[in-house]
Amino acid sequence: SGFSGILADYYISTSSLQMGWTYFFYTTSAMSIPALLLILIYRNNHADNQLSFRIILGISVVLISTLSMQEIEVQSSVNFSDKLLHFLCFLYLTTVAWLSRIISKEFLLYVIVLAYGILIEIVQIYIPYRSFEFLDIFADFLGILAGSFLINFFKDLYPKY
């Protein structure tokens, strides 16, 4: 499992499955607090919002890249949780990348985010304690697809954004 498995493996190994997911959602919610604070600080200036999201995107990519190369000591018996976390991670990355307006063409944005996921899997081939999984890439793709639906829903809801 990759970065997404780290949280699931840790939380599920230290508690029951139900409490593990509860802790996971607490953690991901807490990770969004800095983003919300930055948006509140710059809420009146669209350009500053983009800068805030670019900072969040950069931190997220560095964190995901670093964690995806780490050795995982605990193996989860629930492989589904790893794929769900891949899905959620790439849903998050797609949404933040779009909000940062770093790339204006949406399709190109989706291709780059997917290429990032594939690159992580390729790098893991060369790390002795990691492995390449096509299902991880598929979960990444589904997260990007869900992100594109979320983005289109947001654009319909707030056409001026």
Side-chain angles (χ1 to χ4, degrees), residues 34-65:
L36 295 173
L37 290 176
L38 286 170
I39 291 167
L40 287 175
I41 291 169
Y42 298 117
R43 69 177 176 241
N44 294 328
N45 189 335
H46 186 65
D48 287 336
N49 281 343
Q50 288 179 4
L51 177 62
S52 299
F53 280 116
R54 287 177 182 180
I55 292 168
I56 293 164
L57 178 64
I59 292 169
S60 299
V61 168
V62 168
L63 182 64
I64 291 168
S65 298

PDB file of all heavy atoms in Angstrom, residues 34-65:
ATOM      1  N   PRO A  34      -6.029  24.343   7.885  1.00  0.00           N
ATOM      2  CA  PRO A  34      -5.182  25.436   7.365  1.00  0.00           C
ATOM      3  C   PRO A  34      -5.703  26.021   6.056  1.00  0.00           C
ATOM      4  O   PRO A  34      -5.640  27.227   5.852  1.00  0.00           O
ATOM      5  CB  PRO A  34      -3.818  24.761   7.164  1.00  0.00           C
ATOM      6  CG  PRO A  34      -3.835  23.597   8.086  1.00  0.00           C
ATOM      7  CD  PRO A  34      -5.258  23.133   8.144  1.00  0.00           C
ATOM      8  N   ALA A  35      -6.247  25.162   5.196  1.00  0.00           N
ATOM      9  CA  ALA A  35      -6.796  25.661   3.926  1.00  0.00           C
ATOM     10  C   ALA A  35      -7.964  26.600   4.181  1.00  0.00           C
ATOM     11  O   ALA A  35      -8.051  27.677   3.586  1.00  0.00           O
ATOM     12  CB  ALA A  35      -7.240  24.486   3.057  1.00  0.00           C
ATOM     13  N   LEU A  36      -8.843  26.201   5.062  1.00  0.00           N
ATOM     14  CA  LEU A  36      -9.995  27.049   5.357  1.00  0.00           C
ATOM     15  C   LEU A  36      -9.580  28.366   5.995  1.00  0.00           C
ATOM     16  O   LEU A  36     -10.137  29.421   5.678  1.00  0.00           O
ATOM     17  CB  LEU A  36     -10.972  26.304   6.266  1.00  0.00           C
ATOM     18  CG  LEU A  36     -11.621  25.063   5.641  1.00  0.00           C
ATOM     19  CD1 LEU A  36     -12.438  24.319   6.681  1.00  0.00           C
ATOM     20  CD2 LEU A  36     -12.468  25.447   4.450  1.00  0.00           C
ATOM     21  N   LEU A  37      -8.585  28.322   6.866  1.00  0.00           N
ATOM     22  CA  LEU A  37      -8.103  29.559   7.489  1.00  0.00           C
ATOM     23  C   LEU A  37      -7.491  30.498   6.458  1.00  0.00           C
ATOM     24  O   LEU A  37      -7.727  31.712   6.489  1.00  0.00           O
ATOM     25  CB  LEU A  37      -7.095  29.239   8.596  1.00  0.00           C
ATOM     26  CG  LEU A  37      -7.670  28.589   9.845  1.00  0.00           C
ATOM     27  CD1 LEU A  37      -6.555  28.227  10.811  1.00  0.00           C
ATOM     28  CD2 LEU A  37      -8.692  29.479  10.516  1.00  0.00           C
ATOM     29  N   LEU A  38      -6.707  29.942   5.547  1.00  0.00           N
ATOM     30  CA  LEU A  38      -6.112  30.785   4.503  1.00  0.00           C
ATOM     31  C   LEU A  38      -7.190  31.417   3.624  1.00  0.00           C
ATOM     32  O   LEU A  38      -7.097  32.581   3.243  1.00  0.00           O
ATOM     33  CB  LEU A  38      -5.149  29.966   3.644  1.00  0.00           C
ATOM     34  CG  LEU A  38      -3.821  29.610   4.302  1.00  0.00           C
ATOM     35  CD1 LEU A  38      -3.060  28.609   3.445  1.00  0.00           C
ATOM     36  CD2 LEU A  38      -2.982  30.860   4.533  1.00  0.00           C
ATOM     37  N   ILE A  39      -8.223  30.661   3.317  1.00  0.00           N
ATOM     38  CA  ILE A  39      -9.313  31.196   2.502  1.00  0.00           C
ATOM     39  C   ILE A  39     -10.041  32.310   3.246  1.00  0.00           C
ATOM     40  O   ILE A  39     -10.383  33.342   2.667  1.00  0.00           O
ATOM     41  CB  ILE A  39     -10.282  30.066   2.099  1.00  0.00           C
ATOM     42  CG1 ILE A  39      -9.584  29.131   1.118  1.00  0.00           C
ATOM     43  CG2 ILE A  39     -11.553  30.634   1.475  1.00  0.00           C
ATOM     44  CD1 ILE A  39     -10.314  27.838   0.898  1.00  0.00           C
ATOM     45  N   LEU A  40     -10.274  32.118   4.535  1.00  0.00           N
ATOM     46  CA  LEU A  40     -10.946  33.160   5.316  1.00  0.00           C
ATOM     47  C   LEU A  40     -10.113  34.436   5.382  1.00  0.00           C
ATOM     48  O   LEU A  40     -10.645  35.537   5.319  1.00  0.00           O
ATOM     49  CB  LEU A  40     -11.240  32.655   6.726  1.00  0.00           C
ATOM     50  CG  LEU A  40     -12.367  31.624   6.834  1.00  0.00           C
ATOM     51  CD1 LEU A  40     -12.465  31.113   8.259  1.00  0.00           C
ATOM     52  CD2 LEU A  40     -13.687  32.224   6.383  1.00  0.00           C
ATOM     53  N   ILE A  41      -8.801  34.271   5.490  1.00  0.00           N
ATOM     54  CA  ILE A  41      -7.925  35.442   5.549  1.00  0.00           C
ATOM     55  C   ILE A  41      -8.008  36.239   4.252  1.00  0.00           C
ATOM     56  O   ILE A  41      -8.054  37.463   4.259  1.00  0.00           O
ATOM     57  CB  ILE A  41      -6.465  35.009   5.835  1.00  0.00           C
ATOM     58  CG1 ILE A  41      -6.350  34.477   7.263  1.00  0.00           C
ATOM     59  CG2 ILE A  41      -5.497  36.159   5.600  1.00  0.00           C
ATOM     60  CD1 ILE A  41      -5.039  33.797   7.570  1.00  0.00           C
ATOM     61  N   TYR A  42      -8.036  35.532   3.129  1.00  0.00           N
ATOM     62  CA  TYR A  42      -8.001  36.194   1.827  1.00  0.00           C
ATOM     63  C   TYR A  42      -9.339  36.154   1.095  1.00  0.00           C
ATOM     64  O   TYR A  42      -9.391  36.249  -0.115  1.00  0.00           O
ATOM     65  CB  TYR A  42      -6.940  35.531   0.940  1.00  0.00           C
ATOM     66  CG  TYR A  42      -5.550  35.647   1.482  1.00  0.00           C
ATOM     67  CD1 TYR A  42      -4.830  34.519   1.837  1.00  0.00           C
ATOM     68  CD2 TYR A  42      -4.954  36.883   1.644  1.00  0.00           C
ATOM     69  CE1 TYR A  42      -3.545  34.616   2.325  1.00  0.00           C
ATOM     70  CE2 TYR A  42      -3.674  37.001   2.134  1.00  0.00           C
ATOM     71  CZ  TYR A  42      -2.972  35.863   2.469  1.00  0.00           C
ATOM     72  OH  TYR A  42      -1.709  35.965   2.956  1.00  0.00           O
ATOM     73  N   ARG A  43     -10.430  36.014   1.819  1.00  0.00           N
ATOM     74  CA  ARG A  43     -11.728  35.754   1.183  1.00  0.00           C
ATOM     75  C   ARG A  43     -12.184  36.847   0.213  1.00  0.00           C
ATOM     76  O   ARG A  43     -12.973  36.600  -0.668  1.00  0.00           O
ATOM     77  CB  ARG A  43     -12.799  35.517   2.225  1.00  0.00           C
ATOM     78  CG  ARG A  43     -13.154  36.734   3.025  1.00  0.00           C
ATOM     79  CD  ARG A  43     -14.283  36.433   3.992  1.00  0.00           C
ATOM     80  NE  ARG A  43     -14.526  37.600   4.786  1.00  0.00           N
ATOM     81  CZ  ARG A  43     -14.411  37.659   6.077  1.00  0.00           C
ATOM     82  NH1 ARG A  43     -14.090  36.591   6.742  1.00  0.00           N
ATOM     83  NH2 ARG A  43     -14.642  38.773   6.730  1.00  0.00           N
ATOM     84  N   ASN A  44     -11.678  38.043   0.377  1.00  0.00           N
ATOM     85  CA  ASN A  44     -12.131  39.136  -0.489  1.00  0.00           C
ATOM     86  C   ASN A  44     -11.273  39.295  -1.735  1.00  0.00           C
ATOM     87  O   ASN A  44     -11.593  40.107  -2.590  1.00  0.00           O
ATOM     88  CB  ASN A  44     -12.143  40.455   0.291  1.00  0.00           C
ATOM     89  CG  ASN A  44     -13.185  40.437   1.394  1.00  0.00           C
ATOM     90  OD1 ASN A  44     -14.222  39.802   1.259  1.00  0.00           O
ATOM     91  ND2 ASN A  44     -12.895  41.111   2.485  1.00  0.00           N
ATOM     92  N   ASN A  45     -10.194  38.558  -1.831  1.00  0.00           N
ATOM     93  CA  ASN A  45      -9.287  38.732  -2.953  1.00  0.00           C
ATOM     94  C   ASN A  45      -9.092  37.388  -3.656  1.00  0.00           C
ATOM     95  O   ASN A  45      -8.438  36.499  -3.140  1.00  0.00           O
ATOM     96  CB  ASN A  45      -7.949  39.290  -2.470  1.00  0.00           C
ATOM     97  CG  ASN A  45      -7.064  39.699  -3.627  1.00  0.00           C
ATOM     98  OD1 ASN A  45      -7.190  39.190  -4.735  1.00  0.00           O
ATOM     99  ND2 ASN A  45      -6.161  40.613  -3.364  1.00  0.00           N
ATOM    100  N   HIS A  46      -9.654  37.257  -4.855  1.00  0.00           N
ATOM    101  CA  HIS A  46      -9.613  36.008  -5.606  1.00  0.00           C
ATOM    102  C   HIS A  46      -8.172  35.571  -5.895  1.00  0.00           C
ATOM    103  O   HIS A  46      -7.847  34.387  -5.814  1.00  0.00           O
ATOM    104  CB  HIS A  46     -10.411  36.172  -6.893  1.00  0.00           C
ATOM    105  CG  HIS A  46     -10.567  34.930  -7.683  1.00  0.00           C
ATOM    106  ND1 HIS A  46     -11.282  33.846  -7.218  1.00  0.00           N
ATOM    107  CD2 HIS A  46     -10.093  34.586  -8.903  1.00  0.00           C
ATOM    108  CE1 HIS A  46     -11.244  32.883  -8.119  1.00  0.00           C
ATOM    109  NE2 HIS A  46     -10.538  33.321  -9.145  1.00  0.00           N
ATOM    110  N   ALA A  47      -7.297  36.506  -6.223  1.00  0.00           N
ATOM    111  CA  ALA A  47      -5.900  36.175  -6.520  1.00  0.00           C
ATOM    112  C   ALA A  47      -5.201  35.597  -5.294  1.00  0.00           C
ATOM    113  O   ALA A  47      -4.402  34.665  -5.405  1.00  0.00           O
ATOM    114  CB  ALA A  47      -5.156  37.403  -7.023  1.00  0.00           C
ATOM    115  N   ASP A  48      -5.500  36.133  -4.121  1.00  0.00           N
ATOM    116  CA  ASP A  48      -4.901  35.605  -2.903  1.00  0.00           C
ATOM    117  C   ASP A  48      -5.431  34.212  -2.574  1.00  0.00           C
ATOM    118  O   ASP A  48      -4.709  33.382  -2.039  1.00  0.00           O
ATOM    119  CB  ASP A  48      -5.138  36.547  -1.722  1.00  0.00           C
ATOM    120  CG  ASP A  48      -4.281  37.805  -1.807  1.00  0.00           C
ATOM    121  OD1 ASP A  48      -3.228  37.760  -2.472  1.00  0.00           O
ATOM    122  OD2 ASP A  48      -4.668  38.821  -1.203  1.00  0.00           O
ATOM    123  N   ASN A  49      -6.695  33.949  -2.901  1.00  0.00           N
ATOM    124  CA  ASN A  49      -7.234  32.601  -2.729  1.00  0.00           C
ATOM    125  C   ASN A  49      -6.458  31.610  -3.593  1.00  0.00           C
ATOM    126  O   ASN A  49      -6.130  30.519  -3.150  1.00  0.00           O
ATOM    127  CB  ASN A  49      -8.715  32.541  -3.084  1.00  0.00           C
ATOM    128  CG  ASN A  49      -9.598  33.081  -1.984  1.00  0.00           C
ATOM    129  OD1 ASN A  49      -9.168  33.223  -0.847  1.00  0.00           O
ATOM    130  ND2 ASN A  49     -10.827  33.378  -2.332  1.00  0.00           N
ATOM    131  N   GLN A  50      -6.175  31.996  -4.824  1.00  0.00           N
ATOM    132  CA  GLN A  50      -5.397  31.129  -5.709  1.00  0.00           C
ATOM    133  C   GLN A  50      -4.012  30.884  -5.137  1.00  0.00           C
ATOM    134  O   GLN A  50      -3.518  29.757  -5.167  1.00  0.00           O
ATOM    135  CB  GLN A  50      -5.302  31.735  -7.098  1.00  0.00           C
ATOM    136  CG  GLN A  50      -6.596  31.676  -7.861  1.00  0.00           C
ATOM    137  CD  GLN A  50      -6.478  32.317  -9.228  1.00  0.00           C
ATOM    138  OE1 GLN A  50      -5.419  32.751  -9.642  1.00  0.00           O
ATOM    139  NE2 GLN A  50      -7.596  32.380  -9.932  1.00  0.00           N
ATOM    140  N   LEU A  51      -3.380  31.912  -4.597  1.00  0.00           N
ATOM    141  CA  LEU A  51      -2.066  31.754  -3.983  1.00  0.00           C
ATOM    142  C   LEU A  51      -2.148  30.796  -2.790  1.00  0.00           C
ATOM    143  O   LEU A  51      -1.292  29.927  -2.631  1.00  0.00           O
ATOM    144  CB  LEU A  51      -1.512  33.107  -3.540  1.00  0.00           C
ATOM    145  CG  LEU A  51      -0.162  33.067  -2.808  1.00  0.00           C
ATOM    146  CD1 LEU A  51       0.923  32.494  -3.723  1.00  0.00           C
ATOM    147  CD2 LEU A  51       0.216  34.451  -2.316  1.00  0.00           C
ATOM    148  N   SER A  52      -3.176  30.939  -1.979  1.00  0.00           N
ATOM    149  CA  SER A  52      -3.359  30.047  -0.834  1.00  0.00           C
ATOM    150  C   SER A  52      -3.490  28.599  -1.299  1.00  0.00           C
ATOM    151  O   SER A  52      -2.867  27.698  -0.732  1.00  0.00           O
ATOM    152  CB  SER A  52      -4.601  30.435  -0.035  1.00  0.00           C
ATOM    153  OG  SER A  52      -4.491  31.738   0.458  1.00  0.00           O
ATOM    154  N   PHE A  53      -4.296  28.377  -2.321  1.00  0.00           N
ATOM    155  CA  PHE A  53      -4.470  27.014  -2.823  1.00  0.00           C
ATOM    156  C   PHE A  53      -3.192  26.487  -3.465  1.00  0.00           C
ATOM    157  O   PHE A  53      -2.912  25.291  -3.402  1.00  0.00           O
ATOM    158  CB  PHE A  53      -5.644  26.939  -3.806  1.00  0.00           C
ATOM    159  CG  PHE A  53      -6.972  26.868  -3.123  1.00  0.00           C
ATOM    160  CD1 PHE A  53      -7.892  27.880  -3.269  1.00  0.00           C
ATOM    161  CD2 PHE A  53      -7.305  25.780  -2.322  1.00  0.00           C
ATOM    162  CE1 PHE A  53      -9.128  27.813  -2.642  1.00  0.00           C
ATOM    163  CE2 PHE A  53      -8.529  25.707  -1.692  1.00  0.00           C
ATOM    164  CZ  PHE A  53      -9.445  26.725  -1.850  1.00  0.00           C
ATOM    165  N   ARG A  54      -2.400  27.359  -4.069  1.00  0.00           N
ATOM    166  CA  ARG A  54      -1.120  26.921  -4.644  1.00  0.00           C
ATOM    167  C   ARG A  54      -0.161  26.481  -3.538  1.00  0.00           C
ATOM    168  O   ARG A  54       0.558  25.495  -3.694  1.00  0.00           O
ATOM    169  CB  ARG A  54      -0.512  28.028  -5.485  1.00  0.00           C
ATOM    170  CG  ARG A  54      -1.246  28.216  -6.786  1.00  0.00           C
ATOM    171  CD  ARG A  54      -0.722  29.348  -7.613  1.00  0.00           C
ATOM    172  NE  ARG A  54      -1.551  29.446  -8.820  1.00  0.00           N
ATOM    173  CZ  ARG A  54      -1.376  30.336  -9.762  1.00  0.00           C
ATOM    174  NH1 ARG A  54      -0.413  31.235  -9.649  1.00  0.00           N
ATOM    175  NH2 ARG A  54      -2.156  30.342 -10.814  1.00  0.00           N
ATOM    176  N   ILE A  55      -0.156  27.201  -2.446  1.00  0.00           N
ATOM    177  CA  ILE A  55       0.677  26.813  -1.303  1.00  0.00           C
ATOM    178  C   ILE A  55       0.209  25.470  -0.755  1.00  0.00           C
ATOM    179  O   ILE A  55       1.018  24.574  -0.485  1.00  0.00           O
ATOM    180  CB  ILE A  55       0.647  27.908  -0.216  1.00  0.00           C
ATOM    181  CG1 ILE A  55       1.355  29.171  -0.722  1.00  0.00           C
ATOM    182  CG2 ILE A  55       1.276  27.404   1.085  1.00  0.00           C
ATOM    183  CD1 ILE A  55       1.133  30.395   0.150  1.00  0.00           C
ATOM    184  N   ILE A  56      -1.098  25.320  -0.597  1.00  0.00           N
ATOM    185  CA  ILE A  56      -1.667  24.059  -0.100  1.00  0.00           C
ATOM    186  C   ILE A  56      -1.337  22.920  -1.053  1.00  0.00           C
ATOM    187  O   ILE A  56      -0.963  21.820  -0.624  1.00  0.00           O
ATOM    188  CB  ILE A  56      -3.188  24.207   0.095  1.00  0.00           C
ATOM    189  CG1 ILE A  56      -3.473  25.188   1.224  1.00  0.00           C
ATOM    190  CG2 ILE A  56      -3.840  22.851   0.376  1.00  0.00           C
ATOM    191  CD1 ILE A  56      -4.893  25.703   1.244  1.00  0.00           C
ATOM    192  N   LEU A  57      -1.442  23.157  -2.351  1.00  0.00           N
ATOM    193  CA  LEU A  57      -1.131  22.134  -3.343  1.00  0.00           C
ATOM    194  C   LEU A  57       0.340  21.717  -3.251  1.00  0.00           C
ATOM    195  O   LEU A  57       0.662  20.529  -3.267  1.00  0.00           O
ATOM    196  CB  LEU A  57      -1.461  22.633  -4.751  1.00  0.00           C
ATOM    197  CG  LEU A  57      -1.148  21.687  -5.900  1.00  0.00           C
ATOM    198  CD1 LEU A  57      -1.993  20.415  -5.797  1.00  0.00           C
ATOM    199  CD2 LEU A  57      -1.394  22.385  -7.238  1.00  0.00           C
ATOM    200  N   GLY A  58       1.228  22.695  -3.156  1.00  0.00           N
ATOM    201  CA  GLY A  58       2.654  22.383  -3.042  1.00  0.00           C
ATOM    202  C   GLY A  58       2.966  21.558  -1.810  1.00  0.00           C
ATOM    203  O   GLY A  58       3.704  20.561  -1.881  1.00  0.00           O
ATOM    204  N   ILE A  59       2.414  21.959  -0.684  1.00  0.00           N
ATOM    205  CA  ILE A  59       2.629  21.204   0.558  1.00  0.00           C
ATOM    206  C   ILE A  59       2.061  19.794   0.423  1.00  0.00           C
ATOM    207  O   ILE A  59       2.690  18.816   0.841  1.00  0.00           O
ATOM    208  CB  ILE A  59       2.001  21.951   1.756  1.00  0.00           C
ATOM    209  CG1 ILE A  59       2.775  23.244   2.034  1.00  0.00           C
ATOM    210  CG2 ILE A  59       1.962  21.061   3.001  1.00  0.00           C
ATOM    211  CD1 ILE A  59       2.087  24.180   3.008  1.00  0.00           C
ATOM    212  N   SER A  60       0.894  19.677  -0.178  1.00  0.00           N
ATOM    213  CA  SER A  60       0.255  18.369  -0.348  1.00  0.00           C
ATOM    214  C   SER A  60       1.091  17.447  -1.229  1.00  0.00           C
ATOM    215  O   SER A  60       1.264  16.274  -0.909  1.00  0.00           O
ATOM    216  CB  SER A  60      -1.145  18.525  -0.951  1.00  0.00           C
ATOM    217  OG  SER A  60      -1.967  19.283  -0.108  1.00  0.00           O
ATOM    218  N   VAL A  61       1.605  17.964  -2.331  1.00  0.00           N
ATOM    219  CA  VAL A  61       2.414  17.142  -3.236  1.00  0.00           C
ATOM    220  C   VAL A  61       3.696  16.690  -2.544  1.00  0.00           C
ATOM    221  O   VAL A  61       4.091  15.523  -2.651  1.00  0.00           O
ATOM    222  CB  VAL A  61       2.714  17.901  -4.550  1.00  0.00           C
ATOM    223  CG1 VAL A  61       3.785  17.197  -5.370  1.00  0.00           C
ATOM    224  CG2 VAL A  61       1.441  18.064  -5.364  1.00  0.00           C
ATOM    225  N   VAL A  62       4.342  17.578  -1.813  1.00  0.00           N
ATOM    226  CA  VAL A  62       5.562  17.200  -1.089  1.00  0.00           C
ATOM    227  C   VAL A  62       5.245  16.136  -0.038  1.00  0.00           C
ATOM    228  O   VAL A  62       5.956  15.127   0.075  1.00  0.00           O
ATOM    229  CB  VAL A  62       6.228  18.442  -0.433  1.00  0.00           C
ATOM    230  CG1 VAL A  62       7.308  18.037   0.551  1.00  0.00           C
ATOM    231  CG2 VAL A  62       6.797  19.358  -1.508  1.00  0.00           C
ATOM    232  N   LEU A  63       4.174  16.331   0.702  1.00  0.00           N
ATOM    233  CA  LEU A  63       3.795  15.378   1.744  1.00  0.00           C
ATOM    234  C   LEU A  63       3.436  14.018   1.147  1.00  0.00           C
ATOM    235  O   LEU A  63       3.912  12.977   1.607  1.00  0.00           O
ATOM    236  CB  LEU A  63       2.613  15.926   2.547  1.00  0.00           C
ATOM    237  CG  LEU A  63       2.121  15.074   3.693  1.00  0.00           C
ATOM    238  CD1 LEU A  63       3.198  14.928   4.758  1.00  0.00           C
ATOM    239  CD2 LEU A  63       0.860  15.673   4.297  1.00  0.00           C
ATOM    240  N   ILE A  64       2.635  14.003   0.103  1.00  0.00           N
ATOM    241  CA  ILE A  64       2.237  12.746  -0.531  1.00  0.00           C
ATOM    242  C   ILE A  64       3.445  12.043  -1.141  1.00  0.00           C
ATOM    243  O   ILE A  64       3.612  10.826  -0.996  1.00  0.00           O
ATOM    244  CB  ILE A  64       1.143  12.988  -1.588  1.00  0.00           C
ATOM    245  CG1 ILE A  64      -0.157  13.404  -0.902  1.00  0.00           C
ATOM    246  CG2 ILE A  64       0.923  11.760  -2.462  1.00  0.00           C
ATOM    247  CD1 ILE A  64      -1.204  13.935  -1.838  1.00  0.00           C
ATOM    248  N   SER A  65       4.303  12.803  -1.803  1.00  0.00           N
ATOM    249  CA  SER A  65       5.500  12.205  -2.410  1.00  0.00           C
ATOM    250  C   SER A  65       6.395  11.576  -1.348  1.00  0.00           C
ATOM    251  O   SER A  65       6.899  10.464  -1.527  1.00  0.00           O
ATOM    252  CB  SER A  65       6.287  13.259  -3.187  1.00  0.00           C
ATOM    253  OG  SER A  65       5.503  13.787  -4.235  1.00  0.00           O
TER     254      SER A  65
END
